[in-house]
Every structure is written in structure tokens, then in C-alpha cells.
Amino acid sequence: LSPSESPSKLPSDSPTLNPSDSPTAGLPDGGTLVSSIIDSDSSISYFGCNSVSRSSASVDGTLEKFHCDRTNLNDVPAGQIFSAPYVQATIAKKVRIYAGDAGTGLDPIGVMLEGRINPEAQWEEIGSGDLEYSNNNARNERSSALYVESTYEIGDVNYTYAEVNFPSNNKVYSDYKVSFSATRNYGSSRLQFAELEIPGLLLPPPPTPPPTLSPSESPTKSPTAHPTPAPTPYPTAAVADSAQAVNTVLYPGSVQSFGCSRTVRAGDAISPTTEKFFCDHLDMPTTPDGYWVDGLIISPAHGKLSVAKDLRLYTHNNCVNCDCVEYLLEGRVDATSAWEEIGSGDFPWKEASICRNVRGLPINSTFESGDTDRCYDSVGYPSHSTPYLDYKYTCLRTRGKHRYHQLGRIELAGFILG
């Protein structure tokens, strides 16, 4: 699908599907269109294969490939079942498949998508169709270090993929079954592909904040969660009159990650958009209770001392269990000094539902407040007045003991000293 075929569907302006793009869909308000409503959180099983290799690679966001052995099973549909480990209502609008690195004869060419509301329910067909690849003979390099950068509207144009659309589907499901009826070479004993996406609508979680609140109103950012966002609640924070109040003291700046086997877009952790930072904990040690610890060391480009007042964390686009829920914030006056704690503890969203941000949207915040058109949480430091040059943000726990830690943006509202 090319953007020109859906010109009115701009992610920044229409986070809930424009009715003109799908007149029969009648999609609910408040959802977020995402590149895939399934991800590595899902419980994954397979069928129609004697055996599989790298089952989770089909949704890991990279070009590492999924392999299915179909010896003597050519007349049997093969595929995967994805079950979310947490309550997540979704509406599927497409299936998108990225080709693997082996011969074209191993490519799936026919797909059917089914959904169900829970594991006890019957499967219901959403739609089916033929997979026509963007470049019929081109192969995608196999690599767990090459990431697929797609949107709801369009797949990653750097790679060969095919998709089938279901524009009239408006049914809500939580589990999905993807079946492939055949490979390009009907007699092939193998089926392979690099990545599977189900672009669609990610609906808000059940009403833990009141259901009348929309994501654009930042549902978990209630007064009790943000008791001190404005400058007036800081009577003890003796800050020089010449200090400049800013929405974040961190950007622009250099970013160094730690505790990650690999990171993607580390600089986007502080950039003024919801493009996400990604940390993979593969092969990294855990705490005794099974959590990974990682974080970021940030050296602001202004090179001046600053006083932190409000730490804000914006959500990324999909993986709820990849959110950080317990943190430590530290500062130091120069590169040779010891780190000193500014604050630590739980984010208020630890036990609450939280909406998601579409990737790549601009963030327009102030010293007093985060961007109320985006989904975020914050922790204030009303009495803190110690200036620091560099900052160290440590995520002590993600919501789901997840292999990945992801976020949309970190802001540290405060004062830059003259």
C-alpha cells in the first residue's frame, strides 16, 4: 500500500482511523493506529509445521527469519497464533509479511487472518487474500540487527514485503491466527519469512482511568499524580533569578546507554518526538527477583549546571509491558564526580492503564506541563535545588519483567543556571 492510496490518513492528525478510509468500519474513538497490534509480548504457538525455528523472530521487529518445516504437509495450512499476555482490545486492518533471505519459492503467497476475544472463544475469520510482494524477486538480508521501521500506513520501504487489507473490519479481538495456504513453490517443504505485522487499531485499556477520558487528555496524568508541576509549588528550591526555566534540561545532548545488549535510537530518548528508544536485554544479567536494570547517561549540550524539577516519561507505541515502572534519577557536577540521587521510586502509572503514543509525533511541552496531547507520566521534585551537569536515568523494573525496555521520550523540566 502506498501513501497515495490513503492520502487523508495522517498519523499525526488522525490517530483514530478516518471514517472516509473505511466507511463500513465504524471504528471507536480513542484508539491509536500502530504498525502492528502484535509484538514480542505475545504468547506464540504454531500449526501446520513439523517443527519451527525462531518462532518469536516473526514479531521481533527485525529481519531475523521464521522457519517452518512443512515436509509432507503441503495441503495443510501453516501459521502462527498470537495471544496477548495482558488485556488488550485491538482491531486488525491489514496483514503485512516481509520476505526472508532464502529462495522466493519459500515465500507464503496466500494468507487468512482470524481473531477471537479470548482463548476459550471460537476463531472468526477477518479476511484473506493473496500476498503480492513489493519487489517480487528481491530478498531481505537475514539479520537480528536490522530493524523494520514501519507505520500503520506503510511498511518499511527499505525491504521487500506484501500485505493484504481488511478495510471493512471493525470487530474487536485480542488473539489472532495467521494461516498461510501455500508457498510460491507449491512443492516446497519449507516456509520462511522475516517479519509479520498486523497493522491496526490499539484500543485503550479497560477503564482504570475513567472511560470518558481520551488518550489526548493524558488519562493517567491526574492532579494526584502531578502535585507539583508548576513553578509556584517550589518555595524551598532556591534558584538564582537568572536561571532559565525550560521544558527539559536534557535536550539537545549526548546519550549513552547501559545495561543493554543492544540499543536502537538512543538519541531519540531525549529528542522532542515520540520516536521510541529501544533497549534489548538479551544475555544481560538480572536482579535476584528476575528484573533487568538498564538506563541512560545524558550530558546536555548546553554545558551548564541545571536544577531538575519534574521527570516526565512518554509512552512508546505498543508494548505495555516494556514501560519502565520503577526508576532512579541521579546527577553529578562533572564527569569525575560521584553520582548523587535526586529521586527514585515508582511511576504513578505502575498500577494504572496508560494510553500509547504513535511513533514520531512532535512533543510540545513547557516547564509547567508535559504535552497534554500525548500520553505521559511524571514525578516532581519540589524541594530539590542541587545543580548538576550530567544526569543518569536508571530503569529498575519494567512492567512485565520484559526482555525489552522501550520509551517515547524522557523530559526533565527544570532550570538552567546562567
Side-chain angles (χ1 to χ4, degrees):
L1 183 68
S2 66
S4 61
E5 293 177 33
S6 183
S8 62
K9 189 158 74 267
L10 300 174
S12 58
D13 296 330
S14 306
T16 57
L17 190 66
N18 189 321
S20 63
D21 295 321
S22 186
T24 62
L27 291 174
D29 294 329
T32 300
L33 290 170
V34 295
S35 60
S36 187
I37 55 179
I38 56 172
D39 58 26
S40 55
D41 269 356
S42 301
S43 172
I44 306 172
S45 58
Y46 65 89
F47 58 91
C49 307
N50 296 308
S51 63
V52 300
S53 300
R54 300 170 298 276
S55 183
S56 62
S58 63
V59 289
D60 68 351
T62 78
L63 294 184
E64 180 58 272
K65 70 179 177 184
F66 164 79
H67 171 96
C68 163
D69 178 3
R70 303 183 69 216
T71 304
N72 298 323
L73 295 175
N74 301 83
D75 295 327
V76 178
Q80 292 182 293
I81 294 172
F82 302 93
S83 301
Y86 47 84
V87 176
Q88 181 62 70
T90 54
I91 297 177
K93 304 302 288 184
K94 313 176 186 181
V95 169
R96 189 180 291 154
I97 303 294
Y98 291 81
D101 66 327
T104 58
L106 309 185
D107 293 339
I109 57 171
V111 65
M112 180 172 71
L113 181 65
E114 298 170 90
R116 65 185 180 190
I117 56 174
N118 59 56
E120 289 73 42
Q122 294 294 314
W123 289 110
E124 300 178 0
E125 182 175 348
I126 297 170
S128 61
D130 295 332
L131 293 165
E132 298 182 4
Y133 291 85
S134 52
N135 187 334
N136 211 32
N137 296 314
R139 303 286 83 198
N140 293 319
E141 178 184 352
R142 176 185 171 187
S143 174
S144 60
L146 291 176
Y147 286 82
V148 176
E149 302 290 344
S150 57
T151 65
Y152 167 80
E153 289 79 8
I154 189 169
D156 191 329
V157 296
N158 295 305
Y159 306 120
T160 298
Y161 69 92
E163 67 180 37
V164 174
N165 298 283
F166 314 115
S168 62
N169 178 54
N170 66 349
K171 291 187 177 181
V172 175
Y173 300 107
S174 60
D175 296 351
Y176 291 93
K177 180 179 182 180
V178 182
S179 302
F180 302 109
S181 56
T183 52
R184 197 189 303 264
N185 178 355
Y186 182 80
S188 175
S189 62
R190 295 179 295 158
L191 179 151
Q192 296 183 11
F193 59 86
E195 187 73 3
L196 187 158
E197 295 176 333
I198 304 180
L201 190 70
L202 195 68
L203 296 172
T208 298
T212 54
L213 290 182
S214 68
S216 62
E217 294 176 30
S218 192
T220 62
K221 193 170 72 68
S222 63
T224 55
H226 305 283
T228 58
T232 53
Y234 304 143
T236 62
V239 178
D241 293 337
S242 60
Q244 177 187 5
V246 294
N247 67 334
T248 181
V249 301
L250 304 177
Y251 180 81
S254 64
V255 181
Q256 177 185 352
S257 65
F258 60 89
C260 308
S261 55
R262 69 173 181 270
T263 60
V264 180
R265 297 174 298 272
D268 282 322
I270 62 171
S271 68
T273 75
T274 57
E275 183 55 87
K276 70 180 176 183
F277 160 78
F278 176 98
C279 167
D280 188 349
H281 298 129
L282 180 65
D283 297 327
M284 300 300 293
T286 64
T287 61
D289 51 356
Y291 288 93
W292 283 282
V293 175
D294 70 90
L296 302 166
I297 296 173
I298 303 165
S299 299
H302 54 69
K304 299 178 181 179
L305 295 174
S306 58
V307 178
K309 286 299 181 181
D310 196 39
L311 174 65
R312 302 169 188 152
L313 205 62
Y314 291 80
T315 60
H316 61 283
N317 64 312
N318 53 10
C319 176
V320 175
N321 281 353
C322 301
D323 293 338
C324 185
V325 296
E326 184 178 338
Y327 81 99
L328 168 66
L329 181 66
E330 299 169 279
R332 66 183 181 190
V333 294
D334 58 51
T336 62
S337 300
W339 292 106
E340 299 177 0
E341 181 175 340
I342 299 171
S344 62
D346 294 342
F347 282 105
W349 69 22
K350 182 175 183 178
E351 304 298 336
S353 300
I354 183 69
C355 59
R356 317 310 297 170
N357 289 310
V358 175
R359 287 175 61 176
L361 299 182
I363 293 175
N364 298 303
S365 56
T366 64
F367 169 78
E368 292 80 10
S369 173
D371 189 335
T372 55
D373 288 329
R374 307 288 176 249
C375 307
Y376 74 96
D377 206 350
S378 68
V379 180
Y381 312 109
S383 61
H384 174 68
S385 61
T386 305
Y388 295 110
L389 178 67
D390 300 330
Y391 292 91
K392 182 179 182 180
Y393 166 79
T394 303
C395 178
L396 301 174
R397 293 190 176 194
T398 54
R399 185 174 281 111
K401 291 186 178 179
H402 205 280
R403 170 181 157 182
Y404 304 135
H405 170 212
Q406 303 180 32
L407 58 90
R409 189 196 193 194
I410 295 176
E411 286 182 341
L412 191 57
F415 296 95
I416 298 177
L417 305 185

